[in-house]
Amino acid sequence: MALNPTSLRARVTLGTAAAAALAMGLLVSGLVLAQSHAEDIQAQTVLTSRVSAAASTVVVGVRAVRVLETPADTLDEGVWVFAADGSLLDGATPPRALATVVTSLGSAGAKPPREVAGRYLVTSRTVKRPDGTSAATVVGALDLRPYTSGTKRLTWLGLILAAAATAATAGAAWAATGRALHRVRAMAVQADQWRDHHDGHRFPAGGRDELADLGRTLNRMLDRISSALDSERRLTDGVAHELRTPLSVIRAEAQLAHPIAEQPTSASLEAILRATDRMDASIETLLRTARHRSAIDDVCDVDQVLASLVAAAHRPGDVVVRIAPAQGQGARRRVHADLPAELLTAILSPLIDNAVRHAPHSVTISRAVTGSVVRVRVDDDGPGIPEADVQSVFEAGVTTQADGSGLGLPLSRRLARAAGGTVSAEPGPGGHLVVELRAVRRPIEGPGNGVQEKVR
């Protein structure tokens, strides 16, 4: 199994494994300490018994001290008897590691058991005369290796069992979290799929566990979002219908007056007709977006839309509107965006109009493709937007022009979001407005656009 340290499943698994390893480590340590203590007690008991048995063979006479012969040779193993003057009465030559210790204990009297060289346990006991003076000293030593071997075996066995238990716990935690998070992943996939389809879907909320509670909470949130979107669509639909009636009257009156009007008036009427056509297209785009927000499947040629916008742009005074050479991955090929041409026109028109109104000399439109994003910039040489106002300019009603309505940029951002894109502003000097939309690369069928490639 592949562990990604940043994933929730990996963090839960690693945390559980660490807790299991700590618990097993404490358990093994406790068992080893208990075994070691038991072995120490056993070794001390054996050594003390052996020294006591050897002391019972020491006979204290009036003139001398002698050691009785014992039928068992085991009493002589690791036991030495020293006279009161420190001379050796009985016992073989001690090992080199014990020679100094045994000799010193032979003249030091009774001493409690202690370890020597990490391998031997030594002790001594005094044999006294009837008058209480020391007649002899019995020194005993015991090899601890037969006793400590059990602790070593227990330690290795405990480490192996701890590693196996930790691995088993980690595997169980990985499997359990996988089953628990499977529903979460399924909910995330469903939510991602619903983003590009009609709403009305809801998460399954059966059961009484935490994930069911999460599903019910998300469903309530989706209900509120759906209700808000329905209200917005009804409002947009109503406003669009209310605007169409006066627009139709204006257009009809302008068409009737155009043939008989004088030249200056005729030019004004043509401008009115163009404006009404553009407003009617914007209203139609609003209606289409409001009614079919989640089913925008058309694509458009970005360069073609930009060319038509520049050709139709109103240029007061000496303002020059131009398209800069393309940049990025799509510099040498046609670039298509994942939205209808009418919607892209409705998104970019307010940005270009805003730039033309503020530019004293020039407006530059550029586009670039980075990965799956097509970016369109509208730059002008005007005073620009203060850094403190880069967000407020997208609020409805906010405008710096006496004759402005403050609705163009908010409408542009709303339409871009409906198509899965963004509209943002950058602080000056100079005005900088940026539109980011999904580029198209994978083969799809687009009305009037041929076969293109869509990137999701």
Side-chain angles (χ1 to χ4, degrees), residues 29-93:
S29 299
L31 291 176
V32 169
L33 289 175
Q35 175 71 15
S36 177
H37 181 67
E39 290 178 347
D40 289 343
I41 294 176
Q42 183 181 8
Q44 291 180 16
T45 301
V46 171
L47 178 60
T48 303
S49 300
R50 184 176 295 177
V51 170
S52 297
S56 65
T57 64
V58 178
V59 178
V60 180
V62 177
R63 297 182 179 181
V65 177
R66 62 189 181 85
V67 180
L68 299 177
E69 293 293 332
T70 60
D73 295 336
T74 56
L75 292 179
D76 296 330
E77 293 180 4
V79 176
W80 299 267
V81 180
F82 292 88
D85 58 359
S87 60
L88 181 63
L89 296 178
D90 187 46
T93 303

Side-chain angles (χ1 to χ4, degrees), residues 4 17 28 81 93 154 171 193 228 239 251 274 321 350 367 392 403:
N4 178 6
V28 171
V81 180
T93 303
L154 179 62
Q193 292 175 345
V239 171
R251 181 179 179 83
R274 287 196 301 271
V321 182
R367 64 92 173 158
S392 62
D403 58 345

Side-chain angles (χ1 to χ4, degrees), residues 89 160 170 195 205 335 421 430:
L89 296 178
I160 295 173
R195 180 186 60 184
V335 175

Side-chain angles (χ1 to χ4, degrees), residues 340-367:
E342 297 85 354
L343 184 54
L344 180 58
T345 301
I347 292 172
L348 294 176
S349 295
L351 308 185
I352 297 175
D353 288 346
N354 179 80
V356 169
R357 285 198 305 271
H358 291 85
H361 303 294
S362 66
V363 174
T364 302
I365 305 172
S366 59
R367 64 92 173 158

Side-chain angles (χ1 to χ4, degrees), residues 86-450:
S87 60
L88 181 63
L89 296 178
D90 187 46
T93 303
R96 182 178 301 177
L98 291 176
T100 302
V101 176
V102 169
T103 302
S104 62
L105 287 177
S107 58
K111 296 294 181 181
R114 64 186 177 94
E115 284 191 21
V116 176
R119 174 180 172 182
Y120 297 97
L121 185 67
V122 297
T123 187
S124 60
R125 177 176 176 178
T126 302
V127 179
K128 296 182 179 182
R129 300 178 183 275
D131 58 2
T133 59
S134 175
T137 301
V138 180
V139 179
L142 182 68
D143 192 345
L144 294 176
R145 285 179 296 179
Y147 299 91
T148 57
S149 61
T151 301
K152 293 180 179 179
R153 287 194 297 270
L154 179 62
T155 301
W156 282 109
L157 179 60
L159 291 176
I160 295 173
L161 291 178
T166 301
T169 303
W174 179 264
T177 52
R179 287 193 297 269
L181 294 176
H182 176 74
R183 291 170 59 187
V184 177
R185 287 195 299 270
M187 293 170 69
V189 171
Q190 286 178 333
D192 189 63
Q193 292 175 345
W194 297 344
R195 180 186 60 184
D196 297 325
H197 296 80
H198 294 287
D199 54 6
H201 299 283
R202 294 296 181 268
F203 295 106
R208 296 183 179 180
D209 56 5
E210 291 81 358
L211 293 180
D213 293 338
L214 174 62
R216 286 188 286 268
T217 301
L218 292 177
N219 286 340
R220 289 193 293 270
M221 181 183 68
L222 290 174
D223 290 338
R224 290 193 295 270
I225 294 175
S226 180
S227 177
L229 291 176
D230 289 339
S231 299
E232 180 186 354
R233 290 168 188 169
R234 288 193 297 268
L235 176 61
T236 304
D237 188 72
V239 171
H241 281 294
E242 290 296 326
L243 290 176
R244 273 188 164 175
T245 299
L247 275 178
S248 299
V249 174
I250 293 172
R251 181 179 179 83
E253 293 295 332
Q255 287 176 331
L256 289 174
H258 182 271
I260 60 176
E262 297 181 0
Q263 184 62 31
T265 306
S266 178
S268 299
L269 292 174
E270 288 181 358
I272 293 174
L273 288 173
R274 287 196 301 271
T276 55
D277 288 339
R278 179 174 162 185
M279 292 178 66
D280 188 64
S282 297
I283 291 173
E284 179 62 31
T285 301
L286 282 172
L287 284 173
R288 182 177 180 182
T289 303
R291 294 171 179 172
H292 308 288
R293 181 183 299 255
S294 60
I296 299 177
D297 293 324
D298 294 344
V299 296
C300 67
D301 188 320
V302 176
D303 297 309
Q304 184 177 353
V305 171
L306 292 179
S308 63
L309 286 172
V310 171
H314 176 62
R315 300 173 176 84
D318 297 328
V319 177
V320 176
V321 182
R322 70 183 187 92
I323 300 177
Q327 302 176 358
Q329 301 173 352
R332 297 184 179 181
R333 62 177 175 84
R334 307 295 289 183
V335 175
H336 293 77
D338 187 15
L339 76 169
E342 297 85 354
L343 184 54
L344 180 58
T345 301
I347 292 172
L348 294 176
S349 295
L351 308 185
I352 297 175
D353 288 346
N354 179 80
V356 169
R357 285 198 305 271
H358 291 85
H361 303 294
S362 66
V363 174
T364 302
I365 305 172
S366 59
R367 64 92 173 158
V369 178
T370 304
S372 60
V373 176
V374 56
R375 182 178 292 104
V376 179
R377 290 181 61 95
V378 180
D379 302 310
D380 65 72
D381 58 353
I385 302 173
E387 187 172 358
D389 297 334
V390 292
Q391 293 299 328
S392 62
V393 295
F394 294 102
E395 298 177 4
V398 176
T399 179
T400 59
Q401 298 291 317
D403 58 345
S405 62
L407 297 176
L409 295 184
L411 176 62
S412 178
R413 171 174 277 190
R414 176 171 293 188
L415 293 176
R417 286 177 175 174
T422 61
V423 176
S424 59
E426 297 177 359
H432 308 286
L433 296 169
V434 182
V435 179
E436 292 186 350
L437 300 164
R438 290 180 293 200
V440 174
R441 289 184 181 179
R442 188 157 43 92
I444 66 162
E445 292 292 337
N449 297 285

